[in-house]
Amino acid sequence: STPIHPKIGWMFNIIHFLIIFIMIVLQNSSEGNESINGIVSQTLVGRMGEAKEISALVAFLCLPAASYITGQVICADGGFTT
């Protein structure tokens, strides 16, 4: 069974992500790419995230194994916020 917040009737988590590598980024101007490169250089992993990395986190949060995780803000930003 899906755990439900007893006071409000539903559960939630927030996934905060920084930059996800998608084709739109590739189509940006060189100035946009410079800005993105500046942000990416400040992450611990030194690269943009990929959509599959965020979707894997979302999939995990939907599993019964994650049923005790609720009301959280989960940062998936390559270590930018550390």
Side-chain angles (χ1 to χ4, degrees):
S1 66
T2 303
I4 302 297
H5 190 283
K7 294 181 182 177
I8 58 176
W10 44 275
M11 61 180 278
F12 62 92
N13 292 295
I14 298 169
I15 298 173
H16 176 268
F17 56 91
L18 186 61
I19 297 176
I20 302 302
F21 182 79
I22 54 176
M23 293 306 291
I24 295 170
V25 172
L26 294 176
Q27 297 171 358
N28 283 344
S29 68
S30 61
E31 290 178 11
N33 286 333
E34 289 175 20
S35 297
I36 291 169
N37 290 337
I39 294 169
V40 167
S41 70
Q42 297 176 44
T43 66
L44 294 178
V45 297
R47 64 174 178 81
M48 284 188 252
E50 296 182 25
K52 66 182 179 182
E53 293 168 315
I54 302 304
S55 63
L57 177 56
V58 171
F60 169 73
L61 290 172
C62 293
L63 294 173
S67 64
Y68 203 62
I69 302 170
T70 187
Q72 301 300 306
V73 177
I74 302 170
C75 292
D77 61 7
F80 183 79
T81 57
T82 59

